Amino acid sequence: MTFALGVVLFALGVAVSVALHEAGHLWAARRLGMKVRRFSLGRGPMLFSVRRGETDYGLGLIPVGGFCEIAGTTALDELTPDEYDRALYRQKTWKRLVVMSGGIGMNFLLAGVLVLVLAVGWGLPELHPKVVVESVGCVPSSQRPGPGYGLAACDGPGPAGAAGILPGDAILAVDGEGVTRFGDLVGKIWDSAGVVELTIERHGRRLVLPVATEQVQRWVVDPRTGDERSTAVGAIGVSARPPAGPVRYDVVTAVPAALAFTGDLAALTARTVVDMPTKAASLWRSVTGGERDADTPISVVGAGSLGGRAVERGAWESFVLLLVSLNLFVGLFNLLPLLPLDGGHMAVAIYEGLRNRVRARLGRPGGAPVDFVKLLPVTYAFVVVGGAFMLLTLAADIVAPVRPA
């Protein structure tokens, strides 16, 4: 029941995010004197509609997305005589950019407000966790079975100490593969034999140190059967500091902390948006029976499931952070200079503005609006490819869902 409540609350959060995105376009357009014909949440046939002023407000039958119809969004729109001078495509470049970026700005604003709530209510987590060495020492050669799993006595510096690893060093990678948790480091070292290269950070400098692993005996538990077995693994003799918990702020100090956190998270999200095409193969593998990589994109269904599980566990901070990530993703994705996204319309406005400025310097009149008919093949291709990627992500969320950490 709690899981279902979490899913419903996440769906409500998505609806609010969509509403504010479209409202950003609405408010900017009306403020700058343009005509907004319709404002709707959802798609398809209208469940109900009410007219206020010159705008129809409605709720669509299909609870997915929404739209804000501004007269003259493109030169292909049919205009009534009273709409001609107020058409979006006939406005100055800066006005068009403000209107098209209004929705994106609302997503960023909502993300920032949610981060502020997170900072005061639960604290801000570390976005760039590192494995910080607490101590280095010798490597026990064996381990006893049973309660306590006592380790054999040992002496000497151990492989890590002999290689020059010091307490306070941050271990960033093993053989070029990044690690952010001590468990990741242990797993990679356990599977290694011979020499591994550790990338460390020390006083702001990065160093690569070769470390010769020692083969030792340890008891491990098979995660599938729960049986214990003795096995040989690699070890280097390091322990790590406990990961830092979230940092809470008061109302005053939360503002700069929230701004910095939102900026860092936006940068990480932008990298995710850019890397999306490279994740298609990994998503396909997970759909066809392979293991799902944790860094693959998730659909709104997968995000809703994560939101439900967060509420089920009482992890409201994770729920809020999920909504923050959603809004940053939507805002950054819409910046892509591809139609029918907001960024595509912004790219057209910038092109027309620059072109007309050049023509004016040459003593020529402004050029005709961009012919959107010629852009339709590219638009259709993007919609088809994007739709296929969304279906692939949805299938992966059903077959091999991402589990919360």
Side-chain angles (χ1 to χ4, degrees), residues 2 20-21 75 103 107 135 147 150-151 158 168 187 244 252 266 280 297 300 311 318 330 366 368 386 391:
T2 310
L20 289 177
H21 178 97
N107 286 125
S135 65
L151 295 170
V252 175
V300 68
V311 172
S318 297
V330 170
L391 290 175

Side-chain angles (χ1 to χ4, degrees), residues 5-368:
L5 173 64
V7 173
V8 171
L9 288 177
F10 184 80
L12 181 61
V14 172
V16 171
S17 299
V18 171
L20 289 177
H21 178 97
E22 299 302 331
H25 294 308
L26 170 75
W27 293 330
R30 293 178 60 177
R31 183 70 177 175
L32 294 175
M34 301 170 214
K35 180 179 179 180
V36 179
R37 294 169 175 166
R38 287 192 299 167
F39 177 87
S40 172
L41 296 181
R43 297 281 182 169
M46 292 291 102
L47 293 177
F48 76 88
S49 178
V50 60
R51 190 171 185 83
R52 291 289 183 270
E54 58 185 10
T55 305
D56 291 320
Y57 298 87
L59 181 65
L61 175 63
I62 304 173
V64 177
F67 65 90
C68 175
E69 182 185 354
I70 303 171
T73 300
T74 74
L76 298 178
D77 289 354
E78 293 185 7
L79 301 172
T80 60
D82 69 298
E83 294 175 339
Y84 186 74
D85 290 333
R86 302 171 65 194
L88 176 60
Y89 79 90
R90 291 180 51 80
Q91 306 303 309
K92 293 180 179 180
T93 301
W94 72 267
K95 290 186 177 182
R96 296 168 66 180
L97 293 178
V98 169
V99 170
M100 297 315 302
S101 63
I104 298 170
M106 289 303 296
N107 286 125
F108 290 159
L109 178 61
L110 179 57
V113 170
L114 289 173
V115 170
L116 194 61
V117 171
L118 188 66
V120 175
W122 295 276
L124 298 180
E126 173 60 60
L127 285 179
H128 307 282
K130 297 176 182 178
V131 179
V132 180
V133 176
E134 183 172 57
S135 65
V136 294
C138 62
V139 177
S141 61
S142 62
Q143 181 183 41
R144 295 190 302 273
Y149 292 99
L151 295 170
C154 66
D155 55 22
I165 303 293
L166 301 176
D169 288 346
I171 301 178
L172 306 180
V174 179
D175 289 334
E177 295 186 22
V179 293
T180 57
R181 298 182 303 172
F182 186 62
D184 298 333
L185 173 66
V186 171
K188 292 183 184 300
I189 297 298
W190 275 29
D191 295 336
S192 301
V195 177
V196 295
E197 288 189 340
L198 298 187
T199 303
I200 69 168
E201 184 178 71
R202 178 184 297 166
H203 305 306
R205 294 175 55 221
R206 288 200 177 192
L207 305 171
V208 178
L209 300 178
V211 181
T213 61
E214 286 187 19
Q215 290 296 299
V216 297
Q217 175 272 330
R218 294 289 185 266
W219 286 90
V220 298
V221 178
D222 190 317
R224 294 167 295 183
T225 65
D227 295 334
E228 294 180 338
R229 59 185 175 86
S230 177
T231 186
V233 300
I236 59 173
V238 295
S239 65
R241 295 176 185 171
V247 179
R248 292 185 65 176
Y249 299 85
D250 58 37
V251 176
V252 175
T253 59
V255 175
L259 288 173
F261 182 90
T262 304
D264 287 346
L265 186 56
L268 292 175
T269 306
R271 194 176 309 157
T272 300
V273 172
V274 172
D275 290 343
M276 278 180 62
T278 67
K279 304 300 181 181
S282 179
L283 286 169
W284 179 254
R285 282 196 303 271
S286 66
V287 170
T288 54
E291 187 175 351
R292 177 82 177 266
D293 291 340
D295 62 348
T296 50
I298 58 175
S299 68
V300 68
V301 172
S305 177
L306 290 177
R309 294 184 186 280
V311 172
E312 189 176 43
R313 292 181 293 135
W316 288 99
E317 67 278 14
S318 297
F319 182 87
V320 174
L321 189 58
L322 193 62
L323 288 176
V324 171
S325 299
L326 168 75
N327 277 276
L328 290 177
F329 178 83
V330 170
L332 290 166
F333 187 76
N334 267 284
L335 277 174
L336 293 176
L338 297 167
L339 293 170
L341 301 178
D342 295 337
H345 290 281
M346 294 168 69
V348 170
I350 291 172
Y351 164 74
E352 290 183 354
L354 293 176
R355 179 204 60 188
N356 290 342
R357 182 171 296 183
V358 171
R359 291 176 66 91
R361 292 200 172 195
L362 296 175
R364 299 177 183 176

